[in-house]
Short mmCIF file of all heavy atoms in Angstrom, two decimals:
data_model
loop_
_atom_site.label_atom_id
_atom_site.label_comp_id
_atom_site.label_asym_id
_atom_site.label_seq_id
_atom_site.Cartn_x
_atom_site.Cartn_y
_atom_site.Cartn_z
N ASN A 3 100.47 156.15 156.55
CA ASN A 3 101.06 157.47 156.64
C ASN A 3 101.79 157.76 155.34
O ASN A 3 102.98 157.45 155.21
CB ASN A 3 102.01 157.55 157.84
CG ASN A 3 102.59 158.94 158.02
OD1 ASN A 3 102.04 159.92 157.52
ND2 ASN A 3 103.71 159.02 158.73
N LYS A 4 101.05 158.27 154.36
CA LYS A 4 101.64 158.51 153.06
C LYS A 4 102.39 159.82 153.07
O LYS A 4 102.01 160.77 153.72
CB LYS A 4 100.56 158.54 151.98
CG LYS A 4 99.81 157.21 151.82
CD LYS A 4 98.82 157.30 150.68
CE LYS A 4 98.09 155.96 150.51
NZ LYS A 4 97.14 156.01 149.37
N ARG A 5 103.45 159.84 152.25
CA ARG A 5 104.23 161.07 152.08
C ARG A 5 104.94 161.00 150.74
O ARG A 5 105.00 159.96 150.08
CB ARG A 5 105.24 161.24 153.23
CG ARG A 5 106.35 160.22 153.20
CD ARG A 5 107.32 160.40 154.36
NE ARG A 5 108.45 159.51 154.26
CZ ARG A 5 109.54 159.73 153.52
NH1 ARG A 5 109.63 160.88 152.81
NH2 ARG A 5 110.52 158.86 153.47
N ILE A 6 105.49 162.10 150.35
CA ILE A 6 106.23 162.18 149.09
C ILE A 6 107.70 161.91 149.39
O ILE A 6 108.30 162.55 150.25
CB ILE A 6 106.07 163.55 148.42
CG1 ILE A 6 104.59 163.84 148.13
CG2 ILE A 6 106.89 163.63 147.13
CD1 ILE A 6 103.95 162.86 147.19
N ASP A 7 108.23 160.91 148.64
CA ASP A 7 109.66 160.61 148.79
C ASP A 7 110.46 161.68 148.05
O ASP A 7 110.31 161.87 146.84
CB ASP A 7 109.95 159.22 148.20
CG ASP A 7 111.41 158.86 148.33
OD1 ASP A 7 111.92 158.80 149.46
OD2 ASP A 7 112.06 158.60 147.28
N GLU A 8 111.32 162.42 148.81
CA GLU A 8 112.02 163.57 148.24
C GLU A 8 112.98 163.19 147.12
O GLU A 8 113.01 163.86 146.08
CB GLU A 8 112.77 164.33 149.35
CG GLU A 8 111.83 164.99 150.36
CD GLU A 8 112.60 165.79 151.40
OE1 GLU A 8 113.85 165.82 151.29
OE2 GLU A 8 111.95 166.34 152.29
N PRO A 9 113.83 162.14 147.25
CA PRO A 9 114.78 161.84 146.16
C PRO A 9 114.09 161.50 144.85
O PRO A 9 114.58 161.83 143.77
CB PRO A 9 115.58 160.66 146.70
CG PRO A 9 115.46 160.76 148.19
CD PRO A 9 114.09 161.30 148.43
N THR A 10 112.93 160.80 144.89
CA THR A 10 112.28 160.35 143.66
C THR A 10 111.05 161.16 143.31
O THR A 10 110.59 161.14 142.18
CB THR A 10 111.86 158.87 143.80
OG1 THR A 10 110.90 158.77 144.87
CG2 THR A 10 113.06 157.99 144.08
N GLY A 11 110.50 161.85 144.29
CA GLY A 11 109.28 162.61 144.05
C GLY A 11 108.07 161.73 143.92
O GLY A 11 107.03 162.17 143.42
N THR A 12 108.14 160.47 144.39
CA THR A 12 107.04 159.52 144.27
C THR A 12 106.40 159.33 145.63
O THR A 12 107.09 159.25 146.66
CB THR A 12 107.55 158.17 143.75
OG1 THR A 12 108.20 158.36 142.50
CG2 THR A 12 106.40 157.18 143.57
N GLU A 13 105.08 159.24 145.66
CA GLU A 13 104.36 159.04 146.91
C GLU A 13 104.60 157.61 147.42
O GLU A 13 104.67 156.67 146.64
CB GLU A 13 102.87 159.29 146.71
CG GLU A 13 102.07 159.25 148.01
CD GLU A 13 100.60 159.51 147.79
OE1 GLU A 13 100.14 159.29 146.64
OE2 GLU A 13 99.92 159.92 148.73
N THR A 14 104.70 157.48 148.74
CA THR A 14 104.86 156.15 149.33
C THR A 14 103.48 155.54 149.55
O THR A 14 102.45 156.23 149.51
CB THR A 14 105.60 156.23 150.67
OG1 THR A 14 104.78 156.96 151.59
CG2 THR A 14 106.95 156.90 150.51
N VAL A 15 103.45 154.20 149.79
CA VAL A 15 102.18 153.52 150.03
C VAL A 15 101.71 153.71 151.45
O VAL A 15 100.58 153.34 151.80
CB VAL A 15 102.30 152.02 149.70
CG1 VAL A 15 102.61 151.81 148.24
CG2 VAL A 15 103.35 151.36 150.59
N GLY A 16 102.58 154.27 152.32
CA GLY A 16 102.17 154.55 153.68
C GLY A 16 102.54 153.48 154.68
O GLY A 16 102.14 153.59 155.84
#
Side-chain angles (χ1 to χ4, degrees):
N3 183 20
K4 297 183 179 182
R5 68 181 186 83
I6 301 299
D7 180 60
E8 293 183 1
T10 62
T12 303
E13 186 180 23
T14 65
V15 297

